Amino acid sequence: MTDATYTGSGSRTWRRLRRNPMVTIALGVLILIALAAIFAPWLTSFDPYETALRQRLKPPSAEHLLGTDSQGRDLLTRLLYGARTTLLIGCAGTAFGALLGGAIGLCAAFYRRLDGVFMRVIDVFLSFPSILFGLSLAAILGPGLDSLIIAVGLSVMPGIARISRGAALSVMAQDYMDSGRSIGLPDRSLLGRYLLANAYPPILTYTTLAFGDAVLLAATLGFLGLGLQPPTAELGSIAAEGRSFLFIAPHVSTAASILIFVIVLSFNLLGDALRDAGDRRAS
Amino acid sequence: MIARLLRRAGISLIVLAGVLLIGFLMLQVIPADPAVAIAGPQGTDDEIEAIRRHLGLDQPILLQFVWYISRVVTGDMGQSVINNASVSAELLRAAGPTIELMCAAMIWAVPTALALGILAALRRGGIVDRLVMAVSVMGVSVPVFWVGLLMIQFAARTRAFPIQGRGGPLWTAEGLSHILLPATALGLILVGPVARMTRTTLSDALHADHVRTARAKGASELRVVLNHALRTALLPIITLVGLQVGTLMGGAVVTETIFSWPGVGRLAVGSIITGDYPMAQGAIIFLASAFILVNITVDVLNELADPRIGSRS
C-alpha cells in the first residue's frame, strides 16, 4: 500500500516522531508491557498454573490485585504470563513472515522475471482473510503453537513482501548495484551484501508495525480455541475462559481483552505516526 | 477490459486450486485410516484392503487429488465423522445465516461510515474528523470478541435483546431482535476503515480540477460535494469496501462463535476443535471460495462502473 513511504534517511523522521506526544505514550506503554512480560516470574509471587479452587472468581482485592480466575489463579499473574506467550507468538510469527516476505520481495526486485508472478500471488494473499489462514492451519496441523506461528507469519508476509520489493527496487536503481555486477560478483553477494544491506531499514520498520496485527490475530485465534490449549496462559484463551463466567465474574475476560487492546492500539498509533511523518517528508 | 477480467479470473482459478489442494491435504492428515473406520473393529486385513481398493486409496496421490476435485465440484464433500451428516447439506444450511449476518452488518455500517467519512472530509481537522480518525484506529485495534462480550454483558443486564442464536426469518420481530447484537458487533469492524477511506478519497476529490470548475461556475456547495466530488470518489470507495469483505468474513467467524449464530464460521471453528476433518475442510473451502467469488464480482462491477472503460487495456 505504501511502498515508497519509508525510504530515505530516518533521522529527520525520528525527530518529527519524538515531537508527537502520542508516540511517546504508545512507546512507553509498549516498553512497560514488554518489560513486565519478560520479568513476570520476578514481579509476582503467584504461580500461573497452580489452582486454588476455594479462591475461584474472587473480585480484585489487596492480595489479588485483579482478582482470581475460574481456577483460583491470580489473574494479574495469568495476564503477565499470558502477555509473555502472546507477545512471543507475535514475535515468532512476525519473524517468520518477515523472513518469507523479505525474501520474496528482494527476489522479486532482483530477478525481474519473477516479479509478475510473485506480486500477483502476494496480491491474493494480501486480501485473503487472515483468520482463514488460522482456520486452515489449525485444521491441518491441529490447534497449537506451530499452526499459530505459521498462520500469523502468513498473514503478515504479504505486506512485508510489498515493502521489501519497493525498497529493493529503489536500491536496484543505484549505481553501486551495476558496479557490483560489472566486477563479476555472484548473485548471492549482490543480494546479501548489496541489496539487503541497503534495503533493510524500511523493511525493519514495517515489520515492527505489522506486529500489532500479528498480536491481534494470535489473540483472536487463541480466543476461538485454535491456539494453545488450556491451561497455558495466553491472552486470547484467558479471555475465552472468562467467557463462561461472564455474568458472575466479568473481570477475567475484560482484563485480558483490555490488555490485548492496549498492546495492539499502541502499535497502530505508532504505525500511523510513522506513516504521517514519512508522508510529510515526501510531500 | 475482457482481457483484464480473464486474467483476473485466471488468477482466481489458480487460487481456488490452491484452496482445494489445502482441503485435500487436510483430509490426508486425518489420523484415522478411513478404510479401517469403515471396516469397523471386526474388519479383517483382507476386508480393509478391499475397501481401500474400492475407495481408490491405493491409487497414486495425484490421481486421488483429481478425484477429490471432481467430487467437490459435484458437491460431494463427504460426511461428518461426528454425526454422519452430509457436509454439503450442513454447509448449505449454514450459508444462509452467514450471508444474512454479513448483509445485516453492512446495511447499517456502510452508510454510517460513508456519512462519517463525508463529514470528516468536509471539515478536515474538525471534531468529526478527529472522531473518525480516533474511532478508526480503535476499530482496527480492538479485539472483535471483546466488543461481542461487552454487548452480551450489556444485553444480559438490561434483558433487552436475546444474545444467543438465530430467532427465525428476519421479517419476524423475533428474528430481527436476535440478529441485532451480532450485526452491530460485526458492522463496527467495518465503520472505522470505510469511514477513513471515504475521508481520504473524498478530500482528494474535493481538490480536483473539475470540482474547482464546478465551484467556479457557481454550483451550490451541496451540489459540488454530492454530484461532482462524491461521484468521482465513489468508485475507489466501492473497491475498498469490496476489499473489506475479507475483514468482514474474519469478523463473522468470531461473531458467529460468540453469539452462537448458526453460520459457516461457527461450523468451521466447531468442527476444527472437535476434529471433524471432513466438515472442517468443507467449511474452509466454502469460506475461501465465497471470498474469491465476491472479489471477482467486485472486480467485474468496477470494470462495468468505470466510465473510463476501454481507455485501459
Side-chain angles (χ1 to χ4, degrees):
Chain A
M1 283 171 283
T2 47
D3 288 50
T5 314
Y6 303 126
T7 48
S9 80
S11 65
R12 216 180 328 155
T13 312
W14 180 237
R15 235 178 300 140
R16 193 167 276 147
L17 272 181
R18 264 195 319 193
R19 248 181 280 145
N20 187 342
M22 212 60 127
V23 173
T24 322
I25 297 172
L27 212 57
V29 167
L30 283 176
I31 291 172
L32 208 69
I33 293 176
L35 286 178
I38 293 170
F39 295 109
W42 291 276
L43 285 176
T44 160
S45 52
F46 294 103
D47 184 294
Y49 296 109
E50 200 185 282
T51 56
L53 289 177
R54 279 201 201 153
Q55 299 282 320
R56 18 193 344 243
L57 299 171
K58 287 270 187 295
S61 64
E63 194 195 358
H64 300 284
L65 285 178
L66 288 178
T68 59
D69 72 355
S70 60
Q71 309 286 317
R73 299 169 292 207
D74 179 58
L75 186 59
L76 183 61
T77 309
R78 293 281 292 170
L79 288 185
L80 287 178
Y81 279 86
R84 228 176 178 197
T85 323
T86 306
L87 290 176
L88 257 177
I89 295 170
C91 278
T94 315
F96 171 61
L99 284 179
L100 201 65
I104 291 176
L106 290 190
C107 287
F110 193 78
Y111 303 105
R112 295 313 309 240
R113 258 178 307 155
L114 295 178
D115 196 27
V117 182
F118 271 24
M119 285 303 122
R120 212 62 50 81
V121 176
I122 291 300
D123 277 346
V124 173
F125 265 73
L126 202 61
S127 63
F128 225 69
S130 51
I131 275 211
L132 273 188
F133 293 135
L135 288 177
S136 333
L137 280 153
I140 297 175
L141 302 175
L145 192 62
D146 38 2
S147 60
L148 260 189
I149 291 176
I150 300 177
V152 170
L154 284 182
S155 72
V156 296
M157 179 271 282
I160 294 176
R162 279 202 152 195
I163 297 286
S164 314
R165 174 176 171 273
L169 276 179
S170 63
V171 173
M172 286 299 284
Q174 303 291 325
D175 287 339
Y176 54 73
M177 288 305 292
D178 290 332
S179 320
R181 203 188 295 270
S182 65
I183 58 170
L185 284 177
D187 281 1
R188 186 159 36 89
S189 357
L190 277 176
L191 259 171
R193 303 251 305 276
Y194 282 61
L195 192 54
L196 179 61
N198 289 293
Y200 83 89
I203 305 177
L204 213 60
T205 316
Y206 182 84
T207 303
T208 335
L209 302 178
F211 195 70
D213 291 338
V215 169
L216 190 57
L217 178 62
T220 305
L221 292 175
F223 178 84
L224 291 176
L226 303 174
L228 292 161
Q229 300 303 304
T232 314
E234 191 273 330
L235 292 181
S237 51
I238 294 176
E241 280 167 47
R243 190 185 154 207
S244 326
F245 308 97
L246 201 58
F247 302 124
I248 27 176
H251 65 277
V252 181
S253 286
T254 310
S257 304
I258 289 180
L259 186 52
I260 299 166
F261 178 53
V262 168
I263 295 175
V264 180
L265 182 66
S266 304
F267 268 105
N268 285 336
L269 285 175
L270 270 185
D272 280 355
L274 206 63
R275 204 163 300 138
D276 285 351
D279 276 350
R280 234 178 297 164
R281 195 190 42 204
S283 60
Chain B
M1 179 186 88
I2 305 270
R4 254 172 72 94
L5 279 181
L6 279 180
R7 206 168 53 209
R8 286 275 185 150
I11 301 166
S12 308
L13 273 182
I14 295 170
V15 179
L16 205 59
V19 168
L20 285 173
L21 182 67
I22 292 174
F24 177 66
L25 288 178
M26 248 176 247
L27 289 180
Q28 291 298 312
V29 297
I30 299 182
D33 185 336
V36 177
I38 293 171
Q42 269 94 43
T44 61
D45 283 354
D46 284 347
E47 278 170 5
I48 292 176
E49 200 47 47
I51 293 170
R52 196 176 300 231
R53 216 170 304 128
H54 178 70
L55 291 176
L57 293 172
D58 55 341
Q59 299 292 317
I61 199 142
L62 205 67
L63 204 61
Q64 288 192 41
F65 182 49
V66 175
W67 286 342
Y68 169 79
I69 289 187
S70 63
R71 276 205 307 273
V72 169
V73 168
T74 53
D76 174 14
M77 297 208 211
Q79 268 95 39
S80 154
V81 288
I82 304 286
N83 57 9
N84 234 2
S86 151
V87 170
S88 331
E90 289 282 307
L91 282 175
L92 278 182
R93 202 170 311 141
T98 297
I99 296 171
E100 203 174 74
L101 180 61
M102 287 172 77
C103 290
M106 283 174 75
I107 270 179
W108 79 266
V110 172
T112 311
L114 280 180
L116 282 175
I118 293 172
L119 285 175
L122 289 181
R123 299 256 183 283
R124 286 288 291 262
I127 295 174
V128 180
D129 187 23
R130 283 189 203 172
L131 199 77
V132 165
M133 295 308 275
V135 164
S136 80
V137 183
M138 293 211 283
V140 294
S141 308
V142 73
V144 184
F145 56 82
W146 189 33
V147 177
L149 292 182
L150 284 177
M151 281 183 180
I152 288 181
Q153 275 169 267
F154 173 75
R157 197 158 301 155
T158 55
R159 300 186 186 281
F161 303 106
I163 50 178
Q164 296 276 301
R166 183 170 174 271
L170 282 189
W171 50 87
T172 61
E174 185 72 353
L176 212 57
S177 67
H178 271 84
I179 205 173
L180 202 77
L181 287 185
T184 312
L186 185 56
L188 276 178
I189 313 173
L190 221 58
V191 172
V194 175
R196 200 170 168 163
M197 289 164 196
T198 309
R199 166 188 182 266
T200 316
T201 321
L202 186 61
S203 3
D204 287 349
L206 279 172
H207 295 291
D209 288 342
H210 70 273
V211 173
R212 206 174 40 203
T213 311
R215 281 224 174 85
K217 73 174 191 190
S220 72
E221 188 61 25
L222 192 71
R223 215 184 136 78
V224 167
V225 171
L226 290 184
N227 253 7
H228 295 264
L230 191 61
R231 247 176 89 181
T232 40
L234 215 51
L235 207 61
I237 293 173
I238 292 173
T239 318
L240 292 168
V241 171
L243 284 177
Q244 291 296 314
V245 171
T247 320
L248 199 63
M249 197 176 260
V253 173
V254 182
T255 8
E256 283 178 8
T257 308
I258 292 179
F259 291 99
S260 305
W261 192 257
V264 185
R266 195 174 77 121
L267 195 63
V269 174
S271 53
I272 291 170
I273 289 173
T274 53
D276 190 349
Y277 291 88
M279 193 63 89
Q281 59 95 27
I284 291 170
I285 289 178
F286 185 87
L287 286 174
S289 319
F291 172 74
I292 294 168
L293 213 72
V294 171
N295 263 15
I296 298 180
T297 315
V298 172
D299 273 350
V300 172
L301 286 181
N302 238 319
E303 293 285 340
L304 293 180
D306 196 336
R308 288 162 298 182
I309 247 167
S311 64
R312 291 184 298 176
S313 63

